[in-house]
Amino acid sequence: MRSIWNGAISFGLVSIPIKLVNATESHSISFRQIHVTDGGRVRYRKVCELDGEEVSTDEIGKGYEEADGSIVPITDEDLARLPIATAKTIEIVSFVPADQIDPLQMDSAYYLAANGATAAKPYTLLREALKRSRKVAIAKFALRGRERLGMLRVVDDVIAMHGLLWPDEIRAPEGVAPEASVSVREAELDLADALMATLGEVEISSLQDEYREAVEAMITAKAGGAFEPSEAVVEPAGGQVIDLMAALENSVRAARASRGGDGGGGEAEVTPIRRKAAAPAGGSPKAVGGKKSTAAGARKGAEGAKKAAAKSTSKAAASKSAAKKAASGAGGAKKAAAVAKKAAPRKRSSA
């Protein structure tokens, strides 16, 4: 990856030569402006207001416009001579827990690569120190003509830096929250919790930009002359919610159905909450009854198997007992024969 900035990390008295590399890239599809009548490309031309002539990129510089409209020219040399330490240095100023950083401050992300063999040891030292402390480093650096805040953290085996907006660049959320006073019932919160639990978690890497894929497919089809425009199905929006509880319940059912849970996969509708009353006896007990008879049959089958196993065990025990008795009888007969043999008179041999 190509570096966009070379400098060093200032970590106390330790200096770590690094290269700054973009950590993100945009996959959005860019369009050109064309003349609708004939399809010709419409281009922007940079023209000097004083002489009316088109100016090339090499002839364009920077300038600051004063309140009266006058322009103060600013050169790259002027910016390079500014008396700030962060012109070529990412200066670490503190280490803080990561949860102290407001996500609203997050800006562009970069990878910091060790620049040269001598940078490997101090780079690894800072990386491992960040890992062990479980903190992030807050730093100041200058990039593209302005000084910025940064947050350094470890991603795998690389030090990454997130540009941070300055605190005064975060606008206060005045007038954004609903002005009306609204109370939320515990039952509604319980259903919201159930919906959150049903939706569960998702692997961010599994998500994809379906809009971009559809645009690419459309461009391919139009380029091949086989594009047939179809009417997009747009869900009605902005309608008034009739019953928040019913909407939450339907949302939970729809989420469970989409994830393979119980219930059908039909479209959820917002209906009045009166449907929660006790259902009539002739409603839909057939499906429930079928489940009960199935369960009863399963229980009977289990009991029959249990009885058969008990009989088998009893027969085995009886066979074992009979074998013991037989063995005992055989042992008794053997003992009687031995006693009789001893009691019998011995024949004397003749002289």
Side-chain angles (χ1 to χ4, degrees):
M1 290 187 285
R2 186 176 62 87
S3 63
I4 61 172
W5 184 89
N6 291 344
I9 300 174
S10 175
F11 177 36
L13 296 178
V14 178
S15 181
I16 311 170
I18 57 96
K19 296 183 292 185
L20 198 67
V21 178
N22 276 321
T24 61
E25 58 186 2
S26 174
H27 289 167
S28 61
I29 298 173
S30 59
F31 297 102
R32 302 296 186 187
Q33 290 186 328
I34 62 171
H35 188 193
V36 177
T37 305
D38 55 17
R41 173 83 180 274
V42 176
R43 298 178 181 271
Y44 287 104
R45 294 185 177 181
K46 299 177 181 179
V47 178
C48 176
E49 291 182 351
L50 296 180
D51 56 20
E53 294 183 1
E54 187 175 351
V55 182
S56 65
T57 303
D58 296 337
E59 299 176 288
I60 298 175
K62 302 183 185 70
Y64 178 79
E65 185 176 2
E66 296 276 16
D68 59 359
S70 60
I71 301 294
V72 179
I74 303 294
T75 65
D76 291 337
E77 290 75 16
D78 295 333
L79 296 174
R81 293 195 191 102
L82 290 176
I84 55 173
T86 56
K88 279 293 182 181
T89 303
I90 299 173
E91 182 183 357
I92 294 177
V93 295
S94 67
F95 294 86
V96 300
D99 58 9
Q100 287 189 12
I101 305 300
D102 189 340
L104 283 173
Q105 287 187 259
M106 294 289 189
D107 202 359
S108 302
Y110 309 94
Y111 290 134
L112 303 181
N115 194 1
T118 57
K121 181 65 179 286
Y123 183 96
T124 305
L125 172 65
L126 176 58
R127 184 191 67 197
E128 296 304 313
L130 287 170
K131 279 185 181 180
R132 191 166 72 171
S133 68
R134 297 185 179 179
K135 292 184 177 181
V136 297
I138 301 301
K140 294 169 66 178
F141 66 104
L143 181 66
R144 298 190 178 102
R146 56 172 295 205
E147 190 173 52
R148 305 164 186 260
L149 272 180
M151 180 191 77
L152 277 64
R153 68 184 183 97
V154 178
V155 177
D156 295 334
D157 287 331
V158 175
I159 299 176
M161 181 173 69
H162 296 268
L164 298 179
L165 299 175
W166 294 97
D168 60 359
E169 293 179 316
I170 305 297
R171 300 173 63 183
E174 296 176 356
V176 179
E179 295 181 0
S181 178
V182 179
S183 60
V184 179
R185 292 179 292 167
E186 288 294 328
E188 293 168 340
L189 281 174
D190 292 341
L191 280 172
D193 289 341
L195 178 58
M196 292 168 64
T198 304
L199 292 175
E201 299 179 357
V202 66
E203 287 288 337
I204 298 296
S205 58
S206 67
L207 302 179
Q208 55 189 5
D209 187 349
E210 296 179 0
Y211 181 83
R212 177 173 60 87
E213 293 175 354
V215 172
E216 288 175 345
M218 177 193 65
I219 293 172
T220 302
K222 292 198 77 170
F227 177 69
E228 294 183 4
S230 59
E231 196 69 27
V233 179
V234 181
E235 294 289 336
Q240 187 176 6
V241 177
I242 299 173
D243 187 343
L244 181 58
M245 289 285 288
L248 286 169
E249 289 174 348
N250 285 327
S251 298
V252 171
R253 281 198 300 273
R256 286 175 179 166
S258 67
R259 292 184 176 256
D262 57 299
E267 186 178 9
E269 296 179 356
V270 178
T271 54
I273 203 168
R274 289 192 301 273
R275 61 179 178 70
K276 291 181 68 178
S284 56
K286 290 185 179 179
V288 177
K291 289 182 180 178
K292 283 186 177 179
S293 62
T294 304
R299 283 200 299 272
K300 285 182 180 179
E303 288 175 2
K306 192 174 181 181
K307 287 180 181 179
K311 285 182 181 180
S312 176
T313 305
S314 176
K315 286 181 180 179
S319 300
K320 194 173 182 181
S321 175
K324 273 187 177 182
K325 285 181 180 179
S328 175
K334 195 174 182 182
K335 286 182 180 179
V339 171
K341 190 176 181 180
K342 286 182 180 180
R346 294 183 180 179
K347 292 181 180 182
R348 293 181 179 178
S349 58
S350 57

